[in-house]
Amino acid sequence: MAATLAIASSALSTLYRIVVYLFLEVAPISRAKYVIPVLYLGYLLTSYLGTPAFSEILTLKQEVVTVEQEKSETNGNVVTDVSVQETTAVIPVVEPPTLRSALSTIIFSVPSPVRALRRANLLINTLLLLAVAEFVFFPYFDSATDVVYTRVGAIYPDAAKVVVRYPAANATENLVRLVWRQADGKNQSEVPWREGPIANLTAERDWVQTVNLRGLWPNTPYEYRFEDLNNTLLPYPSAPIRFHTAPDPRLHSGSHFRFIASSCMTPNFPYLPLQGRRIKGLDLLADYLWPSESQSAAASLPTVIAQNVSSALSSLASKATASGNSTSAENATAPIMPPTNVTHEVAADQSVPPTEFMVFMGDFIYADVPIYFGDDAEAYRRLYRRNYNSPSFRKVYERLPIIHTYDDHEIINNYAGLGNTSLPPYPNATNAFELYNAEANYDPIDEGQYYFDFRYGDAAFFVMDTRRYRSDIFSDEPTSHTMLGDKQLAALYNWLGKVNNTAVFKFVVSSVPFTALWTYEALEDTWAAFPYEKSALLSAFQSVPNVIVLSGDRHEFAAIEFAAGDNGHNVLEISTSPMSMFYVPFIRTLKPRSEEVVNRTREEVVKTEDGKEEVVKVVEEVPREKVVKYIAEGNYKWSTLEVDTRDYDHPVVRVEIMIDGKPAYNLEVLGKPVKLQSTTALGSLMPQFKGVLDKIGLKPSRWF
């Protein structure tokens, strides 16, 4: 019985360690927080009741006893007669363990008669339990109520939104004034500060306020800081915060800028002891965006020259590729590409413009991972404060404007709002999201909504709300299921109509993947669960040139191409996550292509019977959706998108995928030339959606 309990103790200990490792280093599955204490208690009980099974061979010590007896003879002589009696005593002796056996005992929890090794196993398992407790409960005890921070959100050509949190001691409100000036770098100390808006910070709003700084010039650097109403400089920020306004989109001079796209982050995962505020992915992002001066200076002159030559050759190659797609007779032997985006892998280009902003595509917090602390407002606000209290995040948000959408983990896993804003936990969850992230976004299209659009130069963005109006896919008819709701859907169609010929590249931001190639849980949580609405949207996207969908959620990277017919435009999706969270090793849930196909015509040169060459049209079937590139590995992922429309005949988006701080993949998207105009009427672009618009009371005939 004792030996059986010792083996059970070893098995429970080993299983316990495996589950702890998976929970802290692989994926913080919520159910594990219940399994781990049970396994630990089982290990303690069996260890206490069981006697360790002896794995060593015992040494047997034998003792021999000799007895001498005297015997008298009759003649008076004494003769000694020796009688020998052997007695064997068995004494168990445990040999000291070797280094190899001791390590095996510690690593694999092998039963051992050595008390010190048993105590070492107990100590290790207890420390693992404490690590789990720190990871689970640190977000609750680290309330970050005193965090002070500021950041820039939406940047317009003539304005910017600034968030500030400045709690006051023993008060219910705190008034701080933003002061600002232009930051041209020349005699900066002599440039006077100008008074800006006053932030009315209250305890009711968790000391957070977003203010609008207006009256700025396009494409101009500025800096700001804070004072009290007595014009006394406040200690934070210690140095002025700088930002750069957006270019004027009415000036069609071309754009050249970069932005970051990613989603999904939580502090201290994978877990490290006593690092509860660290978000390693943001540390890596900060190093990527602003490398140290020593690293910059390390580049030798030959390296710089080689980089410039490489950039020039890449530019020439792009133009040559675009020219090669001509339909002229001189290029008849080349395959005819549809009027669409062309994508191909390229080498990384080191000549890049500054990064202007970041689009964070949801799961900014994990309200229910590793534990759900309830749906009250403070439970959600605490997690936002924790992120803004992270020194890793501070290195980024104090220098880079960030705009946000939200996804399910800002609320609860796989949340579907059903259009009911009073359904818990939505009110308290979105209250925190609004205070900390949403108010700093661009102004919503419709008041009180979280979907919005914005421009940066001649690139246009539409950011979806994929949770508030999402239907319950397990009820009603599938044809009635919606992710966006009628009003948001109409706003998206209207935006497509306006940007069709007024912007070169159009970026549609979805917190969940648009493709249906992901399986498993994605079949219920992504656009795959809304096939009818997705099909209508895809048709709309393919009627507009240069549409790129940006998404996150899956904790993997994938580039997906949606093929169009002869009269449409291909659509590309770049799905990137996590910024700093888990990925699942070994298990892959992305199919390489869809079973659904589209017909596309290409021209082919054939020889006739008389030996002449003739161009014939060939109809081929291609997958409607196919994977261009898929990378699942990596806890820290983001995409850098470089938009370059300075040459309107050859607009391009260069995509660089960074994984764990290192370049992993580069993609170049060659756009269609767009003759920019002032506006495009929605009705002429997509008359097939008239029924949807009429349903919500909008009359397309009035928009011409």
Side-chain angles (χ1 to χ4, degrees), residues 496-512:
L496 285 169
K498 290 189 297 183
V499 302
N500 180 32
N501 289 316
T502 61
V504 179
F505 286 102
K506 298 88 174 174
F507 296 95
V508 179
V509 179
S510 172
S511 65
V512 294

Side-chain angles (χ1 to χ4, degrees), residues 646-689:
R646 293 171 296 177
D647 183 350
Y648 274 106
D649 291 329
H650 307 99
V652 63
V653 172
R654 300 178 185 93
V655 184
E656 181 179 42
I657 307 304
M658 298 292 295
I659 297 181
D660 295 340
K662 299 177 182 179
Y665 179 66
N666 287 274
L667 184 70
E668 193 167 82
V669 184
L670 305 181
K672 283 280 294 179
V674 176
K675 185 178 181 181
L676 297 181
Q677 301 173 4
S678 59
T679 186
T680 299
L682 174 63
S684 62
L685 176 66
M686 285 169 289
Q688 64 268 37
F689 302 117

Side-chain angles (χ1 to χ4, degrees), residues 187-200:
N187 301 320
Q188 190 62 27
S189 60
E190 300 177 5
V191 179
W193 291 96
R194 302 178 60 180
E195 291 189 351
I198 296 175
N200 182 17

Side-chain angles (χ1 to χ4, degrees), residues 241-458:
I241 302 295
R242 293 198 171 193
F243 66 93
H244 190 274
T245 51
D248 192 336
R250 296 170 297 183
L251 302 177
H252 300 321
S253 57
S255 299
H256 191 207
F257 67 94
R258 295 198 305 170
F259 68 94
I260 303 294
S262 190
S263 67
C264 309
M265 72 179 191
T266 196
N268 199 23
F269 192 88
Y271 170 83
L272 285 175
L274 306 178
Q275 297 290 320
R277 295 179 178 175
R278 186 188 186 194
I279 307 176
K280 185 177 178 181
L282 293 173
D283 286 329
L284 296 174
L285 177 62
D287 293 340
Y288 168 80
L289 292 175
W290 308 289
S292 64
E293 294 182 3
S294 60
Q295 290 175 326
S296 300
S300 62
L301 181 60
T303 301
V304 173
I305 295 174
Q307 291 174 352
N308 291 336
V309 171
S310 175
S311 175
L313 292 176
S314 176
S315 176
L316 290 173
S318 299
K319 293 183 179 182
T321 302
S323 301
N325 293 332
S326 170
T327 57
S328 63
E330 292 81 1
N331 296 293
T333 57
I336 304 301
M337 301 298 296
T340 180
N341 300 330
V342 181
T343 61
H344 57 87
E345 300 179 28
V346 294
D349 183 3
Q350 301 298 323
S351 301
V352 294
T355 303
E356 300 293 347
F357 58 90
M358 178 178 182
V359 179
F360 200 91
M361 300 176 293
D363 290 345
F364 177 79
I365 65 169
Y366 276 75
D368 54 346
V369 176
I371 191 170
Y372 187 53
F373 289 108
D375 63 353
D376 60 285
E378 173 59 19
Y380 286 100
R381 291 178 177 184
R382 181 171 57 242
L383 295 176
Y384 283 89
R385 293 196 302 265
R386 181 194 182 198
N387 280 359
Y388 282 106
N389 199 32
S390 166
S392 307
F393 193 24
R394 190 179 293 274
K395 289 188 291 186
V396 176
Y397 68 66
E398 287 185 344
R399 300 183 67 177
L400 185 68
I402 304 175
I403 62 171
H404 291 267
T405 187
Y406 67 143
D407 200 33
D408 55 339
H409 289 289
E410 279 93 345
I411 309 169
I412 198 168
N413 188 44
N414 293 348
Y415 180 79
L418 309 176
N420 185 356
T421 57
S422 62
L423 184 67
Y426 187 84
N428 288 333
T430 54
N431 170 267
F433 169 70
E434 192 166 316
L435 287 176
Y436 282 90
N437 288 350
E439 287 184 350
N441 287 335
Y442 292 86
D443 295 335
I445 298 170
D446 298 303
E447 187 176 356
Q449 305 297 322
Y450 296 133
Y451 56 87
F452 57 93
D453 71 294
F454 67 97
R455 294 287 298 266
Y456 196 92
D458 50 20

Side-chain angles (χ1 to χ4, degrees), residues 606-614:
V606 298
K607 287 187 177 183
T608 61
E609 294 180 355
D610 55 2
K612 295 181 179 180
E613 292 185 346
E614 184 178 281

Side-chain angles (χ1 to χ4, degrees), residues 14 16 36 71 79 81 311 322 391 410 509 535 540 625 664 666 693:
T14 302
Y16 165 80
I36 289 171
K71 183 178 179 182
V79 178
D81 186 8
S311 175
E410 279 93 345
V509 179
S535 179
E625 302 178 29
N666 287 274
L693 303 177

Side-chain angles (χ1 to χ4, degrees), residues 405 451 462-466 484 488 492 508-510 527 541:
T405 187
Y451 56 87
F462 188 101
V463 181
M464 299 178 179
D465 178 348
T466 65
L484 304 183
Q488 183 179 183
L492 177 53
V508 179
V509 179
S510 172
W527 280 94
F541 292 162

